Amino acid sequence: MKELFEKNVAWAKSMKEADPTFFERLCEQQAPEFLWIGCSDSRVPANEIVGLMPGELFVHRNVANMVVHSDLNCLSVMQYAVEYLKVKHVIVCGHYGCGGVKAAVEKQNLGLIDHWLLNVQDVQYIHQAYLSEGCNKNKVIDEVCELNVIEQVVNVCKTNIIRDAWARGQELTVHGWIYSIADGLLRDLEVNISCRDEVRSIYHTAAEKIKKRYAESV
Ligand code: CO
């Protein structure tokens, strides 16, 4: 624990050296343009991946980057980000080899978290027919990781928070990305949705693309 405090002092010092008024300005306000909904996985640190500074990214993370409509925590983050911070982009970011997705696909028994991961199993169930039998298990997990992202993007778009924002003409785009721990790179899953009418068609096109890509790679 002592080491963490030492690292903190060193970090604050280096930030101040690089930009003497950095912390003073941050105290005034936060004006992030982006809301990040990502996985809690320690290998997927939101700010670092996209090179954003404190104050530039509003973040919500949970196991397997889920947007569950009964989750007050996630919904509150979204509402505040959209209605008060007026973020212009909501990014749902998954990652390959997600432990939560893996546990769901393998139907592991981990305790309380199994209930949370039933939401991932629902995603797998929706697309089950397209996960070919006997194919590489890690590929199935990665495919579900991608499909899970686009399902969560749709879940974001379905909320009154986003619908109302679009209805009042607020500029807001929802995105679905996936991160590779193996090379540190992001992939755009091409679910960039800026209005209610686009949700269905963009979702279907993206889902087909993902399934086609995995079907070809097996
Ligand atoms: Co994960």
Side-chain angles (χ1 to χ4, degrees):
M1 287 303 109
K2 191 167 165 268
E3 196 190 328
L4 298 190
F5 279 92
E6 284 165 6
K7 280 179 189 284
N8 167 250
V9 170
W11 172 78
K13 189 165 170 269
S14 73
M15 293 298 283
K16 235 181 154 167
E17 275 166 8
D19 182 352
T21 62
F22 179 74
F23 291 111
E24 285 159 40
R25 291 201 314 277
L26 270 190
C27 285
E28 301 293 318
Q29 60 160 352
Q30 62 165 338
E33 280 187 28
F34 312 95
L35 165 61
W36 175 280
I37 300 173
C39 184
S40 299
D41 194 305
S42 62
R43 300 165 295 178
V44 193
N47 283 69
E48 281 94 327
I49 288 173
V50 285
L52 290 178
M53 298 290 280
E56 295 181 323
L57 191 65
F58 203 62
V59 175
H60 176 78
R61 290 168 69 181
N62 61 40
V63 172
N65 42 271
M66 304 302 290
V67 177
V68 177
H69 292 138
S70 55
D71 178 8
L72 258 188
N73 184 351
C74 181
L75 293 176
S76 301
V77 169
M78 273 177 53
Q79 192 231 333
Y80 187 74
V82 171
E83 292 180 15
Y84 293 91
L85 298 174
K86 302 243 183 313
V87 294
K88 291 192 170 67
H89 303 273
V90 178
I91 300 155
V92 176
C93 186
H95 67 99
Y96 294 119
C98 179
V101 171
K102 184 172 187 284
V105 170
E106 294 177 347
K107 299 188 171 48
Q108 292 176 19
N109 242 320
L110 301 175
L112 177 68
I113 195 170
D114 297 348
H115 300 276
W116 181 251
L117 296 178
L118 283 175
N119 296 298
V120 183
Q121 284 188 13
D122 289 345
V123 171
Q124 198 194 357
Y125 184 78
I126 295 169
H127 298 282
Q128 187 78 52
Y130 305 94
L131 296 171
S132 35
E133 283 291 322
C135 62
N136 182 312
K137 197 178 73 183
N138 288 332
K139 266 191 184 149
V140 175
I141 291 165
D142 285 346
E143 183 174 5
V144 176
C145 286
E146 291 193 20
L147 292 168
N148 184 46
V149 169
I150 65 167
E151 291 296 333
Q152 304 319 310
V153 165
V154 170
N155 285 346
V156 170
C157 295
K158 277 183 189 165
T159 62
N160 286 344
I161 300 160
I162 303 297
R163 281 183 169 189
D164 291 350
W166 282 335
R168 59 178 180 260
Q170 190 173 329
E171 188 194 326
L172 183 69
T173 308
V174 185
H175 309 266
W177 297 351
I178 189 142
Y179 175 74
S180 168
I181 292 169
D183 61 12
L185 295 175
L186 288 165
R187 176 199 278 260
D188 184 352
L189 292 175
E190 296 173 57
V191 273
N192 304 295
I193 302 174
S194 306
C195 70
R196 196 171 165 177
D197 297 339
E198 293 177 349
V199 180
R200 257 177 182 275
S201 64
I202 290 180
Y203 161 79
H204 281 293
T205 306
E208 288 313 311
K209 267 192 187 169
I210 291 169
K211 289 170 196 168
K212 191 162 172 277
R213 186 154 36 81
Y214 277 89
E216 283 168 356
S217 76
V218 171

